[in-house]
Amino acid sequence: MTTSLADVASSDATLRAFLHGLPGVDRVGADQRAAMLGTRSIKTTAKAQAIDLAISMVDLTTLEGADTTGKVRAMCAKAMHTAEGAPRVAAVCVYPDLVAVAVSALKGSGVKVASVATAFPSGRSSLEVKVSDTALAVAAGADEIDMVIDRGAFLSGDYQKVFEEIVAVKAACGEAHLKVILETGELATYDNVRRASWLAMIAGADFIKTSTGKVSPAATLPVTLIMLEAVRDFRDVTGRQVGVKPAGGIRTTKDAIKNLVLVNETVGDDWLSPDWFRLGASSLLNDLLMQRQKLATGRYAGPDYFTLD
């Protein structure tokens, strides 16, 4: 870790040496710690606070081929007005061609617009197309870009290609924040998750994100734990803080609270903010709102009380 990170990516050899010189992940230990933290229980006032915090961290997402302008506008309305007294969500995440619709619907609300550029979800396209895709989304008003790395290049050991693509996309983002999606379900090992996390951060990622939500497994607790440890260690080395976004498979309030406990116990209060931790989800928000009402009134809302996204 004594190598200057400014020099790490100067060549393919130095980048490979650095990434393969990172400490290996104890798979059994990571699984056990994540499982142990996943059993933590919080009640009453603390639970109510955790639910509101989780709502404020949600990237409310629709990424389907059948998405329409009407669906995006409805989702934006829900993002701004989740429930009486409840916070708004952090962002609405859509395909690049729907960014302008979301920007118009969310104007003045404080809710960010995120867009999945760079040939989402496969990442199988030329760098020129990825940069153009990003630039178009930013020009349309996107505050955040969620890019996918080339997993084929990463898994074949072409770390320099992955690094250079992230750098180029980051440059195309301008003032927009860049979230780099690792697609951890395709990385095969926890060691690869740690290497991909460091690679993305060295290349300039503002956030590292687990998954597209299109591949299983997605945002497992052990993988999120490893990524949280990576951002903690990266800040210790560089002084720069990077956010984390688990996405895919987070559907219930219990799932969300497990993630918040993981954050608190692994990296602490500094990351317990929508500025540094997000929950990528489409169906999670309804469960959070139902649990919120249950705490307030003692009964659950009916199944049609909240809109279906």
Side-chain angles (χ1 to χ4, degrees):
M1 291 295 185
T2 57
T3 303
S4 168
L5 289 186
D7 300 327
V8 162
S10 59
S11 72
D12 183 66
T14 56
L15 185 56
R16 179 185 303 276
F18 178 83
L19 294 176
H20 284 266
L22 292 169
V25 178
D26 176 356
R27 186 178 188 95
V28 173
D31 287 343
Q32 289 180 342
R33 177 158 178 77
M36 182 270 291
L37 291 174
T39 64
R40 295 280 178 86
S41 178
I42 59 176
K43 305 294 185 185
T44 60
T45 303
K47 184 175 182 180
Q49 293 171 341
I51 288 173
D52 276 3
L53 179 59
I55 291 170
S56 75
M57 291 174 165
V58 168
D59 280 4
L60 193 57
T61 303
T62 183
L63 298 170
E64 303 299 333
D67 286 345
T68 65
T69 57
K71 181 177 181 180
V72 171
R73 289 193 188 103
M75 181 169 282
C76 290
K78 183 174 182 176
M80 293 184 287
H81 309 288
T82 53
E84 185 177 354
R88 62 189 181 224
V89 304
V92 169
C93 187
V94 295
Y95 276 115
D97 63 312
L98 291 167
V99 166
V101 176
V103 168
S104 175
L106 294 169
K107 186 176 180 179
S109 69
V111 177
K112 305 293 186 184
V113 176
S115 184
V116 289
T118 66
F120 178 95
S122 69
R124 308 301 307 184
S125 189
S126 68
L127 177 57
E128 291 76 15
V129 169
K130 293 177 181 181
V131 168
S132 176
D133 203 23
T134 300
L136 288 170
V138 172
D143 302 294
E144 302 170 352
I145 296 295
D146 290 28
M147 77 165 286
V148 285
I149 66 167
D150 183 337
R151 281 87 72 196
F154 180 88
L155 291 170
S156 63
D158 194 351
Y159 302 133
Q160 195 72 27
K161 179 181 180 182
V162 179
F163 173 84
E164 289 172 356
E165 287 198 345
I166 296 171
V167 170
V169 172
K170 173 65 175 173
C173 284
E175 296 298 314
H177 281 196
L178 176 63
K179 305 194 201 88
V180 177
I181 306 171
L182 309 181
E183 197 64 288
T184 53
E186 293 183 341
L187 296 186
T189 70
Y190 288 173
D191 284 344
N192 277 342
V193 172
R194 176 168 285 173
R195 289 174 189 140
S197 297
W198 274 85
L199 177 57
M201 292 187 291
I202 293 168
D206 297 299
F207 265 75
I208 51 175
K209 177 178 171 181
T210 60
S211 324
T212 63
K214 307 295 185 183
V215 170
S216 182
T220 66
L221 284 179
V223 159
T224 304
L225 170 65
I226 291 162
M227 292 170 64
L228 286 166
E229 290 175 342
V231 298
R232 178 198 63 200
D233 295 344
F234 183 81
R235 190 178 72 169
D236 287 345
V237 172
T238 68
R240 185 168 75 89
Q241 187 162 331
V242 176
V244 175
K245 177 181 173 180
I250 304 173
R251 298 184 176 89
T252 68
T253 299
K254 185 177 291 187
D255 293 334
I257 290 176
K258 285 179 180 179
N259 275 276
L260 295 183
V261 169
L262 202 64
V263 173
N264 187 63
E265 294 295 326
T266 308
V267 291
D269 289 350
D270 288 354
W271 271 268
L272 280 174
S273 157
D275 292 335
W276 302 110
F277 193 76
R278 299 283 183 85
L279 297 164
S282 54
S283 58
L284 170 63
L285 181 57
N286 276 6
D287 194 72
L288 288 167
L289 295 174
M290 289 177 68
Q291 292 291 337
R292 188 178 190 276
Q293 179 160 323
K294 172 66 163 55
L295 285 177
T297 67
R299 59 185 182 276
Y300 286 107
D304 58 351
Y305 192 83
F306 302 108
T307 61
L308 297 177
D309 302 316

